[in-house]
Amino acid sequence: MSTSSGRLTRTALLAAAIISLLGAPARADGEAKLLAPSGTLRVGIYPGSPTSMVTDAAGKPHGLAYDLGGELAKRLGVGIDYVRFQRVADIVTAIHDGQVDFTVTNATPARANDVSFSQPVLAIELGFLVPANSPIGKVEDIDKAGIRIGVTKGSTSERTLPAKFRNATIVPAESVKVVIAMFGRGEIDLYATNKPTLFEMSDQMPGAKILDGNWGAEHMAIAIPKGREDALPLLNRFVTEEQSSGALDTIQQQAGLRGATKATRE
């Protein structure tokens, strides 16, 4: 090979390397602008559920939405702003309205009308919590006149359970915190939601019990505003890497998230 052709080859390789180096940051920058157009990833959270945010004994926050939001912000190279709400339905509305960029929630068909979802992150059993000394010992005891099932306003439970339990009464509550107070006042007989939240509540209610079995499952996924679907390939890669690296397992352990199973694609 001549010196001239060797120089041309080296120049071509250098040019290819530069293009490669410049291309990745440019792509990442474009995805950052798409997912966090303000330069800060606004993560919607609500307290009281390990799927969103809980606080450990040392006062440090953890949770599926909280920690995955933090990991994604690092990957995008942007700041993070945790925006608190009382319940998940309010976060979905805020994402629809463009006031929040990210959360993790149950990817239902109804919510898919308002937000766009990544591939599933994990699946979570849905169940029932009864207080200490409750006469309700199994699911078959629930569908009776006079039984009051607490649910969170705007939740999957509120939409789904009236068709499953036609004789019991569905009682909407503003938040998980309010539900615990309602149990204390004897205003509900049991509460229905995902099991990680039920376990978190039972820790605060001596003698409370989660009934055996389940009444379905939630398929948790990342939710982003409509119109940002070009970022879904990045989000799906992010989810896969968090699952395969063990990072998702660590997040679940730190949040005390119980009642979860591995996600399956539809």
Side-chain angles (χ1 to χ4, degrees):
M1 181 184 291
S2 68
T3 304
S4 176
S5 63
R7 279 199 300 268
L8 288 172
T9 301
R10 286 195 297 272
T11 301
L13 289 171
L14 180 60
I18 291 172
I19 290 169
S20 175
L21 288 170
L22 291 177
R27 251 189 335 270
D29 185 57
E31 288 161 333
K33 286 180 179 176
L34 193 58
L35 287 168
S38 68
T40 299
L41 187 69
R42 300 168 298 175
V43 177
I45 54 170
Y46 67 99
S49 172
T51 61
S52 188
M53 190 207 75
V54 292
T55 305
D56 65 19
K60 186 176 180 180
H62 291 289
L64 197 59
Y66 187 96
D67 290 321
L68 282 179
E71 289 296 317
L72 182 62
K74 286 179 190 175
R75 177 168 299 201
L76 296 174
V78 299
I80 190 163
D81 179 21
Y82 292 104
V83 188
R84 293 195 181 209
F85 295 84
Q86 273 202 318
R87 52 184 179 260
V88 69
D90 296 334
I91 302 176
V92 173
T93 298
I95 292 176
H96 173 267
D97 294 343
Q99 297 169 356
V100 167
D101 303 309
F102 174 106
T103 198
V104 178
T105 187
N106 186 19
T108 65
R111 286 178 181 162
N113 291 326
D114 296 320
V115 301
S116 292
F117 285 108
S118 72
Q119 69 187 43
V121 176
L122 53 78
I124 292 174
E125 285 190 329
L126 295 161
F128 298 101
L129 178 72
V130 295
N133 303 316
S134 172
I136 301 171
K138 55 186 184 299
V139 173
E140 289 73 20
D141 298 332
I142 295 173
D143 197 18
K144 299 175 182 176
I147 298 294
R148 300 157 300 172
I149 307 172
V151 297
T152 304
K153 286 182 181 178
S155 66
T156 303
S157 309
E158 185 179 26
R159 289 190 299 273
T160 306
L161 289 182
K164 290 180 177 286
F165 299 99
R166 298 184 182 279
N167 296 309
T169 301
I170 306 299
V171 182
E174 289 294 332
S175 66
V176 170
K177 185 177 180 180
V178 170
V179 168
I180 293 175
M182 291 171 73
F183 269 127
R185 295 191 296 266
E187 296 172 358
I188 55 175
D189 300 297
L190 69 162
Y191 176 65
T193 191
N194 63 66
K195 286 192 176 180
T197 301
L198 298 182
F199 280 115
E200 189 73 16
M201 294 172 67
S202 68
D203 291 343
Q204 305 171 54
M205 297 171 55
K209 177 186 175 184
I210 297 169
L211 299 183
D212 290 338
N214 67 71
W215 54 273
E218 291 185 343
H219 301 280
M220 308 298 288
I222 294 171
I224 60 173
K226 291 282 190 183
R228 301 184 187 178
E229 288 77 16
D230 285 350
L232 287 177
L234 175 139
L235 285 180
N236 290 336
R237 289 196 303 273
F238 170 68
V239 169
T240 297
E241 289 166 11
E242 292 293 298
Q243 292 167 333
S244 61
S245 69
L248 183 61
D249 293 333
T250 300
I251 288 171
Q252 292 181 66
Q253 290 165 8
Q254 290 176 332
L257 195 156
R258 295 159 281 181
T261 59
K262 290 191 180 297
T264 55
R265 296 200 191 191
E266 297 278 310

